[in-house]
Amino acid sequence: MSTEAEAQPTAGPSLAAEGDILRKLEQAKSYKDKGDAAFQEGKVKEALAAYHTSILYLSGLDKNALQRALGKPVPAPPPVDSAAQEKPRTEADELQEKIYSNMSQCHVKTGNWKRVLETADKALSFNPKNRKALFRKAKAYGETGWFEKADKILEDLIKDAESPEKEACEAELKRLREMDKKRDQAHAQKMKGFLKKGELSLGDDE
């Protein structure tokens, strides 16, 4: 004879795990929203802290389990012989792309160009076509003296950009080229001073 307790359904381990995954995803979204709000208020440090916490929630998620928990199909891995094919993306991937792109903008505000490059590259690892991340990467390259790399990225962006993005890219390219020209002039002037000093030294020896 079965008891009432035996007749009642119980949540299996997979259901409990799926619930935990969904809670982590919601926490990640919540912290991203907090980061967005803080950035809009000019609180860059608070925004970065919130974004970092959001990434922590996302980084440990099993993406296939997340897809199943959301009732979405698990992306099939790309064929081995098609390296150029875009990787299947999950909701967690899309969220991390946005967070890292936003983090790169935070670092632009603080002038931390090394971190701009790092976070822009993180965003681009999820989506190589993220135009905002590419723009910020170009800006960071220019600010750190890698003008040729910055020039190439901006030129590529301008080719298929629309207004107002096109004007922003053109303005940034013009600014970086002027900066590069000024640095070249300063370097030439410095070298001229060294050469002149060397000539005077030779004259003293005679």
Side-chain angles (χ1 to χ4, degrees), residues 133-135 137-139 141 148-158 169:
L134 285 167
F135 179 84
K137 182 175 182 177
K139 188 177 184 71
Y141 270 144
E148 290 184 6
K149 291 183 177 182
D151 199 289
K152 175 67 167 59
I153 293 173
L154 291 169
E155 286 281 11
D156 288 343
L157 286 173
I158 289 169
C169 290

Side-chain angles (χ1 to χ4, degrees), residues 44 104-116 143-144:
V44 178
S104 72
Q105 179 61 12
C106 288
H107 291 303
V108 167
K109 291 289 186 181
T110 63
N112 189 338
W113 303 113
K114 180 181 178 181
R115 292 292 290 149
V116 173
E143 293 290 345
T144 52

Side-chain angles (χ1 to χ4, degrees), residues 34-186:
K34 289 178 182 179
D36 293 344
F39 181 80
Q40 291 299 324
E41 295 173 4
K43 301 174 182 177
V44 178
K45 289 185 178 180
E46 288 184 22
L48 283 170
Y51 289 143
H52 181 68
T53 303
S54 182
I55 289 294
L56 290 177
Y57 275 104
L58 292 168
S59 60
L61 289 181
D62 181 324
K63 294 178 183 178
N64 289 342
L66 173 60
Q67 289 298 96
R68 287 191 290 268
L70 293 169
K72 298 180 180 180
V74 176
V80 178
D81 59 349
S82 59
Q85 184 174 329
E86 291 186 7
K87 295 180 181 179
R89 282 158 55 82
T90 66
E91 185 173 347
D93 292 331
E94 293 172 0
L95 196 55
Q96 287 183 88
E97 174 199 341
K98 292 174 183 177
I99 293 169
Y100 279 119
S101 181
N102 290 352
M103 289 177 79
S104 72
Q105 179 61 12
C106 288
H107 291 303
V108 167
K109 291 289 186 181
T110 63
N112 189 338
W113 303 113
K114 180 181 178 181
R115 292 292 290 149
V116 173
L117 283 171
E118 290 174 355
T119 48
D121 276 337
K122 282 282 190 178
L124 293 168
S125 71
F126 291 101
N127 178 14
K129 297 178 182 179
N130 186 313
R131 298 179 70 84
K132 289 182 179 180
L134 285 167
F135 179 84
R136 292 161 190 159
K137 182 175 182 177
K139 188 177 184 71
Y141 270 144
E143 293 290 345
T144 52
W146 297 92
F147 292 106
E148 290 184 6
K149 291 183 177 182
D151 199 289
K152 175 67 167 59
I153 293 173
L154 291 169
E155 286 281 11
D156 288 343
L157 286 173
I158 289 169
K159 288 176 184 176
D160 56 356
E162 297 180 358
S163 183
E165 181 194 8
K166 185 174 183 179
E167 288 79 8
C169 290
E170 288 174 339
E172 182 64 13
L173 184 59
K174 180 180 179 181
R175 185 185 75 86
L176 292 179
R177 284 177 175 174
E178 289 176 351
M179 185 188 299
D180 187 25
K181 184 178 179 180
K182 288 179 180 179
R183 289 189 181 183
D184 283 344
Q185 290 174 343

